[in-house]
Each structure stands twice: as structure tokens, then as C-alpha cells.
């Protein structure tokens, strides 16, 4: 019964199909590697504004301008 | 000074009264079971789009269609 | 299928019975307030060392000395 | 390569400049105290509705009315 | 630069090789589905005691006894 | 009443003094930038085993060997 939380920047449009692929892929990964039961594996995707995500001391918004 | 994070799917309308009931209930639970001080108990509720929540390898959006 | 994460300071001994009471109570709270299905409600309790928990700008270890 | 998650209530307007200051400040803090590499330090800021944030058993929305 | 947090119950021994497989697999998943850069993808695995993980209103410790 | 969660790899010894400096610094940062009340600012530090932290598709344990 693993719990997987995926945080990504909100850039371009992430489609429902892509989100479904992340959910399916993460669930299979836990089943393949650790034999975890897919039925109780929870995956939560969070999309974060580029102003709110920092790396290297600056926001992704700033980095994308470079 | 516990910290409680509640994640729920964004389905239908969760009212401010229901959120207040979750906050009050979670705070009382920690006070009752572990004698934690309600004054410093923090509760954060996050509502997640059904496309972004997966269980059993598929999104809640897909499961609701079945 | 809510997800509840409870973080508490590691002080004294929190027994398995107390943890079970938190799990049961949090699951019932979501069922009572939002009619969420208890079968798929996940609760994860994390115990944090008092050196690693800060409030008011100082660690709980320091505050407990006052 | 630290990971810092900052949750704040969504009250008034938090500007991109203020968010950039939080990102820069948190990254420097980890570099100063623990010599962590700023290049791989990730900071994620989450803004939470006042209905969804509770302290002392009630929502921040309610507390702001007092 | 996605961030992936995987929480699993601490049951049996999860080897360094299995953890490496989770890290590699989650990183590839984000690259395959969303073309995210593997170099800045962070994966954090947390192992949780079965007393501290609840589902269906009871701890995993209790469920394993059934 | 911000909430700050800092995750770092467990490498070498992080002293109680260093943790106190992180708590104080993060609390001051929120006070300086957003005028948040230090009294209700919560900081939680989590130390993660290098086997359990991945970046660039491999664990920090592996990267440290290079």
C-alpha cells in the first residue's frame, strides 16, 4: 500500500492521459520492484506554479528567462 | 504541537463548515489520544483534482466512470 | 480515499494502542464529515525528534528546558 | 541537495519578488549552516486557502474574524 | 526538475538495490511521460513502521495478523 | 503561521546547534519577507538516509562513490 507523491512544475499543459501514465507507471514500479499491491497504491500529482518552485536559489520562472 | 495534513479529492463542494469540522475533529483527536495542546495543533487540508489522484493504477476520474 | 499525515514530536512513548486510536479516529472523522470510504483511507504517523521540530524560532528540545 | 517545502496561508498578494526572496533565503540558509550546494537545493512554496488551514481547532478564516 | 516522494511500509528488508531501482524507475517515468530532465529529478523514499501506517481504520500491524 | 519542512541527507553529524540555526533562520526568513509571526511558525527537519535519496536517477550513496 505505497503512497507516491509527484510534484512537477506547471508548465505547458499536462494532459489527463499523461497524468494517467504517471499513475500507472508509478504503481507498476512499486509492484515490479517491491511486489506491492497495485490495488492499494495511491499516487498524488501536484502541479506547482513556476514562481513557487526554486532551484539553485532562484525561481523556475527566472531560470526559464535565461 | 502536532501537524496534520489531510488530502482529499476535489469532488462536489466541500463547504467551509465541513473543513472547520475536519480541523476541529483532528485537533480534538490529538488532544484526546496524546494530550497534545490544541492551541498549537496545525491542520492543513489539500484538495486534489480527480485527474491527479490515482489508486489501483488509474485516476479517480477514470474510476468514477465505471 | 483520503490521505492523512500526522506528524508529532517523539516525546515519551507513544504506544501501538495510541497510534491505533489516531488511525481509527482520523478515518472515522473523514467518514463522518465527508462520507469518505474508510476502506481506502490511509493514515501515516511520523514521529519527529524534538531537536528537529521548531516553533517560535527554537527547537522543542530548547523549549522543554524553560 | 536539500529539499525545502514552505506552506503559507493565501492572504493578500504574495508577489513573485517575495517568493524569489524566500527561495533565495532558504537556499542560502542551507548553504550557510550545512554547506549544502545551492545548485541542487529545491524550494517549493505552497499557498493554502485560509479555510483549509487550521490552528487552535479553528480555521484561519474564522480566527481572522475575531 | 520533478520531486517524487515514495512512502512504503517497513516490512522485511528493502535492499539498497531495490531502492536504487525505485529511484531509477521513477526518474525514467518522469523523463518518458513528461520529458523531465533526469539530472534534476529528486526521489526520496521513506520507510514507515507498520504501527504508524493505517488503512481501513486499523494499523498495518493489526491487518497482518488477520 | 507558516509551516516549513526541510529534508536533508543524513551525512556526517548534523548537530543540535546546526538544527537550531536552521529553525531560527527559516523562522526569521518568513518574518522578514512576509511578516509572518515567528511564534506560530513551525519548522520540521527530516534526515534521510543516502540510500533513500536519489538525484539524476541514482542514489546519493552511489554518487558519493564517484
Amino acid at each position: 500500500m505505497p503512497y507516491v507523491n509527484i510534484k512537477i512544475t506547471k508548465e505547458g499543459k499536462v494532459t489527463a492521459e499523461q497524468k494517467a501514465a504517471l499513475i500507472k507507471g508509478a504503481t507498476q514500479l512499486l509492484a515490479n520492484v517491491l511486489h506491492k499491491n497495485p490495488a492499494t497504491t495511491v499516487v498524488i500529482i501536484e502541479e506547482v506554479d513556476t514562481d513557487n518552485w526554486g532551484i539553485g536559489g532562484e525561481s523556475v520562472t527566472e531560470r526559464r528567462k535565461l
Side-chain angles (χ1 to χ4, degrees), chain A residues 7-41:
Chain A
K7 291 186 202 280
I8 53 176
T9 48
K10 207 184 285 173
E11 296 179 276
K13 172 66 185 159
V14 179
T15 66
E17 286 68 29
Q18 288 172 315
K19 292 174 184 177
L22 290 177
I23 289 167
K24 192 174 182 182
T27 304
Q28 286 179 333
L29 179 66
L30 271 297
N32 290 345
V33 176
L34 296 177
H35 310 298
K36 295 292 185 181
N37 182 1
T40 54
T41 297

Side-chain angles (χ1 to χ4, degrees), chain A residues 32-59:
Chain A
N32 290 345
V33 176
L34 296 177
H35 310 298
K36 295 292 185 181
N37 182 1
T40 54
T41 297
V42 173
V43 181
I44 293 179
I45 301 165
E46 293 177 20
E47 297 168 274
V48 177
D49 195 277
T50 56
D51 279 354
N52 291 23
W53 191 301
I55 187 162
E58 58 185 359
S59 74

